[in-house]
Amino acid sequence: VADAHYGPEASHALMERLDEHLVSIPHSLGELALLVLGLGHPPWPGTSATTFLVAVYNQGTGQGFGYNWGDSSLCSLNAKGLQQLNEVDEEYISADGPMDIQEAKFEFQVEPGSLLLAYTDGVNECHYRSPLTSVTEREFRALYQRLPEDDRALWFGQQLIELAFDRQGARRDR
């Protein structure tokens, strides 16, 4: 997940570089670190910056690891609620700023039956924590309670996107 700030150039460039360099799924935090460091800082015009969240998850063991810069979220969702798996901060990647790999790493465990969700703050902190335009934990839980038996992740993703866009539309309508 990469969320643009001050223009889309940085997020688009970083995701393109990830796509180009991702040959196989990393099996350890160290392998993922080499991939992330190998991305370097792609040149992009202007002053745009980006968040960047990349994670690897083994569904068989329920374990995962990743790196995060900025305010995008990796969460698990189950009947108990929404659990934040990464630390959210205000650090962004810019064309000239360093990517501090040690501060950004995280590991996580997900309970069986949980959904694993990666999303930008455009979902849960839209317009910088405005409750009228942000999806709340209560709404995440309500969607989870309505999960169908089949295509759970696809259905949930579609519902969450619709809810986030509806919420953002509510702000425009005021």
Side-chain angles (χ1 to χ4, degrees):
V1 175
D3 186 12
H5 289 264
Y6 314 112
E9 298 84 9
S11 60
H12 290 184
L14 198 54
M15 294 307 282
E16 286 171 8
R17 292 285 300 225
L18 179 62
D19 185 51
E20 291 169 5
H21 285 81
L22 186 61
V23 178
S24 63
I25 302 297
H27 292 87
S28 69
L29 198 53
E31 286 181 20
L32 184 57
L34 291 175
L35 172 65
V36 169
L37 289 172
L39 299 178
H41 285 288
W44 55 75
T47 59
S48 72
T50 186
T51 65
F52 185 54
L53 167 64
V54 60
V56 177
Y57 172 61
N58 182 324
Q59 191 172 10
T61 65
Q63 296 178 329
F65 51 86
Y67 288 93
N68 180 67
W69 291 268
D71 54 9
S72 291
S73 293
L74 183 68
C75 296
S76 67
L77 178 64
N78 57 34
K80 296 177 187 175
L82 190 66
Q83 179 186 6
Q84 186 79 36
L85 302 172
N86 66 315
E87 188 172 325
V88 175
D89 59 36
E90 298 296 324
E91 296 295 320
Y92 304 105
I93 298 171
S94 62
D96 58 355
M99 290 172 56
D100 185 348
I101 202 93
Q102 293 304 316
E103 293 293 320
K105 68 182 176 183
F106 65 97
E107 296 181 77
F108 60 93
Q109 179 76 35
V110 176
E111 292 184 28
S114 299
L115 291 177
L116 187 63
L117 309 170
Y119 53 89
T120 71
D121 67 332
V123 171
N124 66 327
E125 294 185 358
C126 189
H127 302 105
Y128 297 97
R129 296 164 193 88
S130 170
L132 294 177
T133 58
S134 300
V135 179
T136 66
E137 182 173 348
R138 192 173 109 216
E139 290 166 316
F140 275 95
R141 286 178 170 182
L143 285 177
Y144 185 83
Q145 291 171 351
R146 296 179 24 224
L147 277 176
E149 290 296 318
D150 297 325
D151 297 324
R152 295 168 33 137
L154 178 62
W155 179 89
F156 188 90
Q158 290 171 335
Q159 296 298 309
L160 184 60
I161 289 168
E162 286 180 28
L163 182 57
F165 278 135
D166 285 349
R167 284 303 185 96
Q168 291 177 30
R171 180 179 170 96
R172 286 191 298 272
D173 294 341
R174 289 190 305 149

